[in-house]
């Protein structure tokens, strides 16, 4: 997973506004197979986050594999987006 510097700034602001300290990546089943789903959470004492560009990211083993092709970035409109180079477009 890559979190760009621009996305890091936005994520840090969002985490602070929501009183959370970590990004949680989980897999959810959809019509095109499994997809990553991101939420904000607080890490527990026994959690071992992966630090990506200074952001705590919690994920299980299956999600780790899926994040190898993912970049969180800011698009041309200034919105936070998830880009997955392995995801086929127009699947559904």
């Amino acid at each position: 997973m890559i979190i760009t510097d621009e996305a890091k700034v936005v994520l840090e602001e969002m985490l602070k506004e929501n009183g959370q300290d970590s990004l949680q990546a989980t897999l959810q089943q959809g019509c095109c197979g499994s997809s990553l789903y991101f939420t904000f959470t607080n890490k527990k004492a026994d959690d071992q986050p992966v630090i990506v560009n200074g952001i705590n990211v919690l994920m299980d083993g299956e999600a780790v594999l899926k994040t190898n092709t993912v970049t969180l970035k800011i698009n041309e409109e200034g919105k936070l987006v998830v880009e997955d180079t392995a995801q086929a477009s127009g699947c559904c």
Side-chain angles (χ1 to χ4, degrees):
M1 174 187 294
I2 297 169
I3 298 175
T4 65
D5 290 340
E6 295 83 7
K8 175 185 176 179
V9 170
V10 171
L11 284 168
E12 287 175 334
E13 290 173 5
M14 294 172 79
L15 286 165
K16 184 177 179 182
E17 287 173 8
N18 288 284
Q20 309 291 305
D21 63 11
S22 301
L23 187 64
Q24 175 80 49
T26 56
L27 288 179
Q28 289 192 341
Q29 287 300 117
C31 62
C32 299
S34 58
S35 297
L36 281 171
Y37 180 73
F38 292 96
T39 56
F40 297 130
T41 190
N42 283 310
K43 64 181 168 84
K44 299 176 186 99
D46 60 342
D47 285 337
Q48 296 180 1
V50 175
I51 309 299
V52 181
N53 197 7
I55 302 290
N56 291 327
V57 182
L58 301 171
M59 55 188 130
D60 63 22
E62 292 181 27
V64 170
L65 296 175
K66 193 81 169 171
T67 61
N68 289 334
T69 58
V70 170
T71 300
L72 276 64
K73 66 180 193 173
I74 303 300
N75 68 9
E76 299 81 26
E77 291 86 36
K79 296 182 180 181
L80 182 66
V81 295
V82 178
E83 180 180 85
D84 187 349
T85 57
Q87 182 93 17
S89 61
C91 175
C92 297

